[in-house]
Amino acid sequence: MLQDIRDNAQGTIAKVIIGLLIISLSIWGMDAIIGGFTGEPEVATVNGNDITEREFLRTVQLETQQRLMQMENPDPSLVDEDQVRRDVLEALIQEAVLTQDAANQGLELSDADIDSLITQMPQFQVDGQFNRDRFVATVRNLGMGVAELRESLRKNYVVNQIRAAIAQTGLAAPAQAEQLLAIQNQTRDFRVLTIDADTVADQVSVSDADIEAYYEDNKDQFRKPEQVSAAYITLSLDALASAIEISDEEVRGYYDERAEDFAREERRAAHILIEAGAEAEQTMATIQQRLEEGESFAALAEEFSVDTVSAREGGDLGFAGRGVYDEAFEQALFALEEGETSGPVETSFGVHLIRLVEVRRADVPAFAELESELRDELARARATERFAEVRSQLADAAYAADDLAGPASELGLDVQEVSGVTRDGGPGPFDHAGLVRQLFSDDVLTGGYNTELIDVENNRAVVARVREYQEPRQLELADVEGQVRDLLTSRATRKALDDRAAELVAAVEAGEQPMADQWQGFEGEGRNVAGLDPFIAQAVFSLPHPEGEQPVVGKALGGSEAAVIVLSAVNPGEVQDDNPEYRQLQQFLAQLEGQREYQAYQQYLRNTAEVERN
């Protein structure tokens, strides 16, 4: 297949296609190729409004990039393009429905409002101030124009206004939170008898006949899969950097140039932290008013801050440089002047008021301390510039070559070998699904071609070829006898443990007290029982409530032990209405209800919309 592409690239068909493109461009211009003659095409119409093909394709590209970023080893071949396109189209239809609903309700955002939003967004700021160059670069990286971004913000903002309005109407009855907390905080009184594998060892036996029978019945489990031995070339940024020589003069010049940057700035902060929630805004307003009236920041931190450790020190957090605090906290702190207090700053910990107490700068480290680090930094910078060029050269050379020795020699790289690679992978870099799939493709496996150059991780690419292929083969019984014996022994042990536990349960239910001196008693224990295996604790809290004075008897089976459980009492969990846990749970339940109401509203709009897919 690869050779066909090589041959046809220079053929008559290719020349005809190019000729037609030139004619089309000369007569009608680029629109004839990408936009047709009837204006911008659409992919769907929602209540008479079009979703354009351009918007659809751009969103598909963004969604594809997002899914690649979520992969541990990004591989475009693993992205289901058809599914992405279906998901994106449905999302755009839903967005159109919601945007139209917002417009029908008279919700809109002025150009001035959008400008205000953009200038306040952290991703467009440098040192706490809006930066136009950062803004333009970020928008371009998103594959959007400025006008498109503004329109996207306009849509999202008005839709979120409706979402927030509906979500905030969610209510949760106090009884719901009380019931859930009572269940969560419930305690139980019980006894446990644990039986280990040694107790039933004399009941467990596995014969040679058992092993042979299992092997014959399950031969497919004992096959050595097909595998290959491969040769491969790895191109990495680290290898390129290690081969680059940096002179002492260059390192010294780089140090002198950046000396001021190495004088690390540290800031001493104090903060008042309150819990996020419905009352946060009012509490924060109270604190800010009392600050304006002259009350001490330290005294207010002691009174209000839920960070009890720093509160005892007046909110003092000590000195710290960048990279220590939450991103939002850090941005606010490093935007302050000494002695200044921020507005409310929300992080995953809650809502902060931050005061910059003092700023200090450390001395510039001596050249000797940084020399090695700076040398590596310069080498990696040059290697980064070189990497894309060498990668392109390697891709071209490996594509045209009948082996890897030529490309390796041409670029000064080493050919390495690996064996035992299966379709499930092998040692690195053959733990990358895309590379393995290429290795087992028909072109590479039977056609004798090299794989494409695959990026197995950032700044590391690999090209490989098959050296030897081994067919799958059946393993002999002698090769797997120990494995089968262990498997059957484990199964027989679990069966014996389960049978023994059932016997003991029956005995207890009959009023007997078997192995009376080996039981453990537990009273008033919660779900996290100290000194008890999790599988037993889970079984304890899965048993039904005892009726009257009659206990409930049950059993639990683990990997190599079993347990008999006698549950004598279930104690309702304590619930305090003024407990923060209660308030947080009630707020969470209300949010869930609000989200359900908004989802139902979305579905109603979607069901009643007139949608035409093209």
Side-chain angles (χ1 to χ4, degrees), residues 125-176:
Q125 295 181 353
V126 175
D127 295 330
Q129 299 294 321
F130 174 74
N131 183 280
R132 183 181 180 281
D133 292 338
R134 171 72 65 85
F135 169 67
V136 173
T138 303
V139 173
R140 285 176 179 170
N141 288 338
L142 290 173
M144 304 174 70
V146 171
E148 288 177 293
L149 175 70
R150 293 173 65 86
E151 185 60 27
S152 177
L153 287 175
R154 191 190 307 274
K155 290 179 180 178
N156 289 331
Y157 186 83
V158 295
V159 167
N160 282 336
Q161 281 186 306
I162 296 177
R163 180 194 60 76
I166 296 176
Q168 288 173 5
T169 63
L171 296 174
Q176 286 181 283

Side-chain angles (χ1 to χ4, degrees), residues 202-257:
D202 58 343
Q203 303 172 35
V204 176
S205 65
V206 177
S207 67
D208 292 343
D210 294 334
I211 294 173
E212 184 175 358
Y214 185 87
Y215 171 79
E216 291 297 332
D217 292 340
N218 299 275
K219 276 191 172 183
D220 287 345
Q221 295 182 16
F222 307 109
R223 290 174 60 84
K224 190 171 185 178
E226 61 179 333
Q227 55 184 261
V228 299
S229 298
Y232 65 99
I233 298 173
T234 299
L235 174 66
S236 71
L237 183 67
D238 290 339
L240 285 179
S242 65
I244 294 176
E245 294 186 3
I246 306 294
S247 69
D248 294 343
E249 291 77 12
E250 289 176 300
V251 181
R252 169 59 76 171
Y254 188 50
Y255 171 81
D256 293 340
E257 178 184 328

Side-chain angles (χ1 to χ4, degrees), residues 381-393:
R382 293 188 184 174
T384 300
E385 297 172 0
R386 175 88 172 123
F387 183 82
E389 178 185 351
V390 177
R391 187 194 181 284
S392 178
Q393 292 174 353

Side-chain angles (χ1 to χ4, degrees), residues 36 51 72 81 84 106 132 165 229 251 253 307 335 347 350 376 414 419 422 424 459 484 497-498 526 552 571 608:
I51 297 174
E72 184 175 351
E81 295 182 4
V84 170
R132 183 181 180 281
S229 298
V251 181
D307 179 2
T347 71
D376 290 342
D414 295 326
S419 59
T422 71
D424 291 329
N459 299 320
V484 176
L497 285 169
D498 195 33
V552 174
N571 312 307
T608 56

Side-chain angles (χ1 to χ4, degrees), residues 191-195 500-502 504-505 508 519 536 553-556 562-566:
R191 295 183 294 129
V192 173
L193 174 63
T194 304
I195 316 159
R500 178 59 176 151
L504 292 169
V505 167
V508 173
W519 290 76
I536 301 177
V553 185
K555 64 178 181 174
V564 178
I565 305 162
V566 177

